Amino acid sequence: MTTATSPHAFWLAGREATGDETFEVTSPWDGRTVGTVGIPTEAQVEQAVAAAAGVAAEFAATPAHVRAAALDHVSRRLAERSEEIARLISAENGKPVKWARGEVGRAVSVFRWASDEARRFNSGTAQRLDSDAGGVGRLALTRRFPRGPVLGIAPFNFPLNLCAHKVAPAIAVGAPIILKPAPATPLSALLLGELLAETDLPAGAWSVLPVPNDRMPSLVRDERLPVLSFTGSGPVGWSILDSVPRKRVTLELGGNGAAVVLADYSSEADLDWAAQRIATFSNYQGGQSCISVQRVIADASVYDRLVPKVVAAVEAQVTGDPSDDATDVGPLISEDAARRVESWVDEAVAAGARLLTGGKRDGAAYAPTVLVGVPADVTLSCEEVFGPVLTISPADGEEAAFAAVNDSRYGLQAGVFTHDVQAAFRAHRALEVGGVIIGDVPSYRADQMPYGGAKESGVGREGVLFAMEDYTYERVMVLTGLDL
C-alpha cells in the first residue's frame, strides 16, 4: 500500500514497479521527507508506452458499464480515504489541510461525473441524407472514437484533482493514459494509482510514471501518444506545442486573474463581501492557483473604501503549519519559489509601488501581500506571480476597468462584482478570458464546466465532458439502401 511515508513504487501498465533510482519528496513546510519514489528507467517508460498502444483498440471497445464502474470505484474510494489523502496532499504540497480536503472532494466529483458521462457519451447522432436527391435511401450515423493513448502532464498545485482531470476523461472514453505527475508532488498521483489498481481495467490502460522533467522531450514526441494534456507554465507548455504540431494538445497555462469591483457594488455589505472573497482567494493555495486573485481593479468611486477592507481581510488570514486546521495560508512549493515572489515584490516597490501589508519571506513562506500604485511595466503587473500577492488599482468607469483586465497577455478567468445584469452581459462580451464569474472572484471553478483560457493562457478546454470530446474525434458511418 502506498502511504505518506513509504510510497516507493510507481504504476507501470496497471502494476506496481520499482526503478533503479529513487528521489525524495520533502515537505515545503518543514523540509521533512514525506516519501521516497522510484524513477522509471527508459526501458520501463518504453514498456508503458508500448502497453498503452497495444491495448488501445481493446480499451476503446470496452463496454461503457465497465469503464463507468471503474470510475465509480475510484470516486467511492477517494471519499472513503478522504482524510488520509488530504493529509498526504498537505504534506507533499504545503497546502493547508482545509483546502486539501476541498481538493479531495472535487476529485471525488470528477470521477463521479466521468462515470455518469461514460454511460451516456457517444450514443451517436443520426442524420437523414435524403434532403438532397443524391442521398435518398441513406442515413448518416456519427459517433466519437478515441484519438489514441493520452499523455497527461500534471502540475504541483493541485496534485490530486488535476491528475483526476487527466485520468478520468481518458478512462471514460476508453483511451489509455500515461500520467506524469509533477516531480515535487508525485505521491497523490501514486495513491490514485492504488485505487485504479483495484479496478478491472485492462492492463496497459493506465500508468503513473514519475519521469524526471529532463527526460520528458522524447516521451512528448512519441507518436504512439497522439493526445497530450498539459497543465503548467507557459514556456514549457508552448515549447511542447511547438515540438508536436500534429498532435492534439490541450494547454492550461495560467494567468494573472483580475477581480473587478464596479460602481454599483457600493454598499458596506457589498464591499465587505468583495474584500473577504478577494483576500481569501488571493491566498488560498498560497496564491499558487492559476485563477487566484492577482489584480483588483476597483471603480474610482469605491476604491478608497475598498482598499482598507481588503488589507484588513488579508491581514486576518491565518498563516502557519499547513497541517493545522486553523491555517489559511501555508508555504509556497519551495524556497526558490518564495524567493522569486520576493524579488518581484521588491522590484515593484523599488519602481514606486506602495506596500500596504506583507512583503516578508521566511524560508518557503511568503506573507500575504497587498500593493497599490504598481507601475504597469514591472514584472508583477505583467506575469503570473503564483504567490500570495495582489495589487489594487482604480479605474474610471466600467469601460476603463474592462480595458485594464484585457491589458494582459493572459486571459484565463475574471471576476466582476456587480448587481447589474446588463453589466454582467457587457463583461461577458468584452473580457478576453475563458470564464467570467459574476458577483465573485475569478477563482471559482466547477469541475464539470468548460475550463481554459484565451491568449497566452492556453488552448483547448478541460472539464470532464469537454476533455472527453478533446480526447476523441467524430467518425461518420453512412448506411445505404434504407427505406426511410
Side-chain angles (χ1 to χ4, degrees):
M1 175 183 292
T2 299
T3 70
T5 55
S6 58
H8 301 290
F10 50 86
W11 297 92
L12 196 167
R15 296 182 175 83
E16 282 190 306
T18 56
D20 297 335
E21 299 178 84
T22 62
F23 67 94
E24 289 189 346
V25 179
T26 58
S27 165
W29 170 246
D30 56 16
R32 67 186 171 88
T33 298
V34 182
T36 303
V37 176
I39 301 174
T41 66
E42 291 186 8
Q44 288 172 318
V45 173
E46 165 59 28
Q47 183 180 346
V49 176
V55 80
E58 175 191 345
F59 194 30
T62 302
H65 75 87
V66 174
R67 288 177 271 120
L71 293 161
D72 273 333
H73 175 84
V74 174
S75 178
R76 183 171 60 254
R77 293 288 284 138
L78 285 171
E80 291 170 354
R81 297 176 63 177
S82 60
E83 183 64 18
E84 170 198 352
I85 299 170
R87 294 286 173 181
L88 177 61
I89 292 170
S90 183
E92 69 170 340
N93 172 278
K95 179 177 300 190
V97 70
K98 65 166 65 175
W99 293 113
R101 292 189 184 108
E103 179 175 350
V104 178
R106 289 176 62 185
V108 168
S109 295
V110 167
F111 277 93
R112 185 183 70 248
W113 284 317
S115 173
D116 293 342
E117 294 293 353
R119 290 182 170 93
R120 58 176 169 253
F121 187 71
N122 205 26
S123 57
T125 57
Q127 181 182 15
R128 61 185 304 159
L129 302 178
D130 61 357
S131 54
D132 184 84
V136 172
R138 298 177 187 267
L139 180 75
L141 179 66
T142 303
R143 294 190 293 160
R144 302 190 70 90
F145 294 85
R147 296 175 183 274
V150 177
L151 174 60
I153 304 175
F156 70 81
N157 57 328
F158 289 85
L160 177 68
N161 196 44
L162 291 182
C163 288
H165 272 285
K166 312 298 182 190
V167 172
I171 292 173
V173 301
I177 182 165
I178 293 175
L179 175 66
K180 190 271 188 198
T185 56
L187 306 181
S188 301
L190 295 176
L191 194 147
L192 180 59
E194 269 188 53
L195 307 186
L196 289 166
E198 296 170 355
T199 71
D200 294 326
L201 295 174
W206 59 275
S207 294
V208 182
L209 303 180
V211 179
N213 289 345
D214 60 5
R215 285 176 41 197
M216 284 301 295
S218 60
L219 188 57
V220 165
R221 291 192 298 267
D222 197 306
E223 295 181 356
R224 294 169 294 178
L225 303 173
V227 181
L228 196 151
S229 178
F230 172 85
T231 303
S233 74
V236 175
W238 294 120
S239 69
I240 286 173
L241 184 62
D242 290 342
S243 70
V244 288
R246 292 181 177 83
K247 288 195 177 191
R248 183 72 168 196
V249 178
T250 298
L251 302 177
E252 198 281 279
L253 304 179
N256 53 2
V260 176
V261 183
L262 293 181
D264 72 287
Y265 217 79
S266 59
S267 73
E268 292 303 313
D270 284 344
L271 295 180
D272 286 342
W273 164 257
Q276 185 59 54
R277 298 296 285 176
I278 288 165
T280 298
F281 289 96
S282 65
N283 296 291
Y284 73 122
Q285 313 282 341
Q288 298 170 123
S289 167
C290 300
I291 46 178
S292 66
V293 183
Q294 181 171 334
R295 298 181 292 152
V296 178
I297 301 160
D299 190 272
S301 65
V302 300
Y303 175 83
D304 288 338
R305 289 191 295 142
L306 177 66
V307 169
K309 291 177 182 290
V310 170
V311 171
V314 167
E315 291 178 340
Q317 297 287 300
V318 177
T319 61
D321 185 347
S323 67
D324 188 334
D325 283 358
T327 298
D328 298 310
V329 187
L332 275 69
I333 191 64
S334 67
E335 187 166 343
D336 284 346
R339 288 185 185 279
R340 177 190 55 74
V341 172
E342 179 182 42
S343 71
W344 289 14
V345 172
D346 289 349
E347 176 200 17
V349 171
R354 186 156 58 98
L355 182 68
L356 300 185
T357 191
K360 297 178 181 179
R361 183 183 64 82
D362 181 9
Y366 195 80
T369 297
V370 181
L371 302 100
V372 296
V374 179
D377 59 349
V378 300
T379 309
L380 189 59
S381 295
C382 302
E383 301 295 339
E384 180 180 38
V385 65
F386 226 58
V389 178
L390 67 88
T391 67
I392 313 178
S393 59
D396 291 324
E398 177 188 300
E399 185 175 344
F402 293 168
V405 174
N406 290 339
D407 187 18
S408 171
R409 303 197 330 265
Y410 300 103
L412 187 49
Q413 292 198 160
V416 181
F417 288 91
T418 182
H419 297 297
D420 184 344
V421 69
Q422 296 292 348
F425 277 93
R426 288 193 295 269
H428 196 203
R429 178 178 295 277
L431 297 179
E432 298 165 354
V433 295
V436 179
I437 313 300
I438 302 299
D440 208 348
V441 291
S443 316
Y444 176 78
R445 177 183 180 183
D447 293 284
Q448 71 271 41
M449 77 182 191
Y451 177 76
K455 300 190 282 190
E456 293 189 28
S457 285
V459 294
R461 291 294 181 269
E462 292 188 339
V464 175
L465 176 61
F466 304 92
M468 291 169 68
E469 291 175 347
D470 214 38
Y471 292 173
T472 57
Y473 69 98
E474 294 173 319
R475 186 185 299 168
V476 179
M477 176 176 66
V478 176
L479 298 171
T480 305
L482 300 178
D483 184 7
L484 298 174

Coordinates of all heavy atoms in Angstrom, one line a residue, residues 1-2 9-12 14-18 194:
M1 N 0.8 -1.2 0.0 CA 0.0 0.0 0.0 C 0.9 1.2 0.0 O 1.9 1.3 0.7 CB -0.9 0.0 1.2 CG -1.7 1.3 1.4 SD -2.7 1.3 2.9 CE -3.9 0.0 2.5
T2 N 0.5 2.2 -0.8 CA 1.2 3.5 -0.8 C 0.8 4.3 0.4 O -0.4 4.5 0.6 CB 0.9 4.3 -2.1 OG1 1.4 3.5 -3.2 CG2 1.6 5.6 -2.1
A9 N 6.9 2.6 -4.9 CA 6.6 2.1 -6.2 C 5.9 3.1 -7.1 O 5.2 4.0 -6.6 CB 5.8 0.8 -6.1
F10 N 6.0 2.9 -8.4 CA 5.1 3.6 -9.3 C 4.3 2.6 -10.1 O 4.3 1.4 -9.8 CB 5.9 4.5 -10.3 CG 7.1 3.8 -11.0 CD1 6.8 3.0 -12.2 CD2 8.3 3.8 -10.5 CE1 7.9 2.4 -12.8 CE2 9.4 3.1 -11.1 CZ 9.2 2.4 -12.3
W11 N 3.4 3.1 -11.0 CA 2.5 2.2 -11.6 C 2.8 2.1 -13.1 O 2.7 3.0 -13.9 CB 1.1 2.6 -11.4 CG 0.8 2.6 -9.9 CD1 0.9 3.6 -9.0 CD2 0.3 1.5 -9.2 NE1 0.6 3.2 -7.8 CE2 0.2 1.9 -7.8 CE3 0.0 0.2 -9.5 CZ2 -0.3 1.1 -6.8 CZ3 -0.5 -0.7 -8.5 CH2 -0.6 -0.2 -7.2
L12 N 3.1 0.9 -13.6 CA 3.5 0.6 -15.0 C 2.5 -0.3 -15.6 O 2.4 -1.5 -15.1 CB 4.9 0.0 -15.0 CG 5.7 0.0 -16.3 CD1 7.1 -0.3 -16.1 CD2 5.1 -1.0 -17.3
G14 N -0.6 -0.6 -15.1 CA -1.5 -1.1 -14.1 C -0.9 -1.9 -13.0 O -1.7 -2.4 -12.1
R15 N 0.4 -2.1 -13.0 CA 1.0 -2.9 -12.0 C 2.1 -2.1 -11.3 O 2.8 -1.3 -11.9 CB 1.6 -4.2 -12.6 CG 0.5 -5.1 -13.1 CD 1.1 -6.4 -13.7 NE 0.1 -7.3 -14.1 CZ -0.5 -7.3 -15.3 NH1 -0.2 -6.4 -16.2 NH2 -1.4 -8.2 -15.6
E16 N 2.4 -2.4 -10.0 CA 3.4 -1.8 -9.3 C 4.8 -2.1 -9.9 O 5.0 -3.3 -10.3 CB 3.4 -2.2 -7.8 CG 2.4 -1.5 -7.0 CD 2.5 -1.7 -5.5 OE1 2.6 -2.9 -5.1 OE2 2.6 -0.7 -4.8
A17 N 5.7 -1.1 -9.9 CA 7.0 -1.4 -10.4 C 8.0 -0.5 -9.6 O 7.6 0.6 -9.1 CB 7.1 -1.1 -11.9
T18 N 9.3 -0.9 -9.6 CA 10.3 0.0 -9.0 C 11.4 0.2 -10.0 O 11.6 -0.6 -10.9 CB 10.9 -0.7 -7.7 OG1 11.4 -2.0 -8.1 CG2 9.8 -0.9 -6.7
E194 N -3.1 3.5 -6.8 CA -3.5 2.4 -6.0 C -5.0 2.1 -6.2 O -5.4 0.9 -6.3 CB -3.4 2.8 -4.5 CG -2.1 2.4 -3.8 CD -2.2 2.7 -2.3 OE1 -3.2 2.2 -1.7 OE2 -1.4 3.4 -1.8

